Amino acid sequence: MTSKNKLSEYNRKRDFDVTPEPDGTPSKPREENHSFVVQKHDATRLHYDFRLEVDGVLVSWAIPRGPSLNPADKRMAVRTEDHPLDYADFEGVIPSGEYGGGPVIVWDRGTYENLGSELMSKGIRKGRIKFRLNGEKLHGAWSLIRMIRSPKETWLLVKMVDAYADRKRDLVEEQPQSVISGKRVEEVGKR
Ligand code: MN
């Protein structure tokens, strides 16, 4: 797969004359400071889009219930199309009728480190990755494991046991606001 057609599905699904989302151009892969972002997206169904920078794009999963700090929780994460790196700053309203129509906030962002022994791209192909998040809300070690391969890849996001695991706090409930604007998803697009 060339870097150009990594984003062809992303581009095909969107009309950039209508949506304020960035158009899809892959970036040059970076050696360090790989970013992650979690966007809260109130589309047809509310979900959290979890995205990891891998080889110049944001590899993405939609997580209906969002991340949990409790290592006993397994959060379903459905793989979605790769997004451009520019998408990590996107906060706004996708017009209704467009793909993913509804408001989006940047719920968390930061950098991550691969904790696996293989490259992230290889781990993703094999369906098993481990990483450490250095975000504003999310920290510590996490794993994503693929359960069902096709047609919609279903994975599970699980907090690994470490100092940042917490069996009691509900972070998505406790901290609903954007790390960019401080707005809640229901406030985006309103004046
Ligand atoms: Mn979404």
Side-chain angles (χ1 to χ4, degrees):
M1 191 186 279
T2 68
S3 63
K4 206 177 183 83
N5 65 28
K6 268 184 184 171
L7 293 176
S8 60
E9 184 179 356
Y10 174 91
N11 286 327
R12 184 163 39 78
K13 285 179 166 172
R14 290 167 176 81
D15 178 352
F16 297 104
D17 291 334
V18 181
T19 182
E21 296 165 287
D23 64 10
T25 313
S27 302
K28 201 162 167 274
R30 297 191 286 191
E31 289 294 324
E32 287 174 351
N33 292 323
H34 291 162
S35 58
F36 87 92
V37 64
V38 183
Q39 281 154 318
K40 186 175 181 181
H41 183 189
D42 194 4
T44 312
R45 287 206 180 91
L46 181 76
H47 59 275
Y48 294 78
D49 288 297
F50 184 83
R51 312 188 196 280
L52 295 171
E53 176 185 349
V54 179
D55 298 340
V57 295
L58 295 169
V59 178
S60 299
W61 293 262
I63 305 180
R65 296 183 64 193
S68 170
L69 300 181
N70 185 347
D73 288 341
K74 295 175 173 61
R75 291 291 162 89
M76 188 179 77
V78 178
R79 180 94 182 266
T80 57
E81 75 275 18
D82 295 346
H83 279 49
L85 292 194
D86 288 349
Y87 208 92
D89 297 324
F90 177 72
E91 187 164 291
V93 180
I94 301 169
S96 69
E98 293 304 297
Y99 179 71
V104 176
I105 60 167
V106 176
W107 183 79
D108 196 18
R109 63 177 174 181
T111 59
Y112 78 90
E113 298 154 60
N114 180 8
L115 296 178
S117 53
E118 300 175 311
L119 292 173
M120 286 294 282
S121 53
K122 191 166 182 189
I124 289 166
R125 274 200 306 278
K126 287 186 170 179
R128 182 174 286 262
I129 53 177
K130 288 189 293 184
F131 45 87
R132 181 183 294 115
L133 299 179
N134 310 295
E136 295 184 38
K137 295 174 182 171
L138 299 177
H139 306 275
W142 297 74
S143 68
L144 261 169
I145 312 247
R146 187 172 55 219
M147 303 303 290
I148 302 169
R149 199 162 183 137
S150 282
K152 278 256 173 200
E153 287 189 19
T154 302
W155 297 55
L156 296 175
L157 176 70
V158 182
K159 180 74 196 76
M160 295 171 74
V161 177
D162 64 13
Y164 297 102
D166 192 320
R167 292 173 189 274
K168 298 206 177 75
R169 279 176 76 196
D170 184 346
L171 199 63
V172 296
E173 189 72 31
E174 190 183 295
Q175 297 191 25
Q177 78 287 355
S178 161
V179 293
I180 293 182
S181 63
K183 288 182 179 178
R184 295 170 182 237
V185 75
E186 51 277 17
E187 296 168 326
V188 168
K190 292 182 185 162
R191 285 170 187 270

